[in-house]
Structure formats: structure tokens, C-alpha cells
Amino acid sequence: MNKLNTENAFREAIQSDAVTVAVFKTTWCPDCHYIEPFMPDLEQKYSGKISFFEVDRDELPDICSELNILGIPSFVAFRGGQELIRFVSKLRKTREEIEQFLDRAVQVAESLPKA
């Protein structure tokens, strides 16, 4: 998963006409570490449908404030610079819950007209 370290890189990544999912994490978050083992599998499973990138909440606090990212890990799906949906909960996220979110992100994107 590509890690974005600048605001410009983030803004450029979400402008894609394809679905992009930003995964907001930190190095000190145990729930962020919990998802690490299976995220590469999910990236491969959704290859061609979703592009993933990682954002460290502590490195880009202004973006996180702008998007109201409070809990981590948080998943936010974008297309063409617009937020489609997000998956945020205070509970640890399971692989199944993340897959449901990703499926929903693809459904939402497909239901919207292309820009």
C-alpha cells in the first residue's frame, strides 16, 4: 500500500476517476497493526477495482482535521475528488467488515455517473 506523506500527494490521489480508498492509521495504534497482515490480500483481491493508499494521521493532521478523521484506522473511499463513503467505528475492524465496506464502495461508485 502506497503511503502518502504530503497534502499534495493526498489531493492528487483522490482525484482519480477510479475508486481510491484512503486508510488512515498511525504507528502507535494496535487496531491499525491488527489489519496489517490481511490488507495485502485485500489489495490483491480488489486490484483493478480499488486503489489503496495509507495516510498517517500524525503526519497529515490538517487533512485529517479537514475530513474529521477521529478514530483510526479509518477507511474513506473517494472517486474524482469526492468522498463516496467511509468506514469508521470505535471497534476493531475485521477482515469481513472491511471487505463489506470495499464492496459497498464499488457499488456506490458504479451507481454514480462518471464525471
Side-chain angles (χ1 to χ4, degrees), residues 23-83:
V23 182
F24 293 88
K25 303 165 68 177
T26 65
T27 56
W28 50 263
C29 162
D31 288 345
C32 299
H33 292 292
Y34 173 79
I35 68 170
E36 285 178 2
F38 58 79
M39 285 307 296
D41 292 341
L42 293 180
E43 286 183 77
Q44 187 173 8
K45 179 179 179 178
Y46 290 89
S47 177
K49 294 182 183 178
I50 299 175
S51 297
F52 294 85
F53 58 89
E54 178 182 331
V55 177
D56 187 314
R57 192 182 79 174
D58 293 340
E59 290 180 13
L60 297 177
D62 292 342
I63 290 287
C64 293
S65 177
E66 177 184 318
L67 294 173
N68 202 28
I69 303 295
L70 302 173
I72 48 172
S74 289
F75 294 77
V76 183
F78 297 90
R79 189 182 81 187
Q82 299 297 311
E83 181 178 327

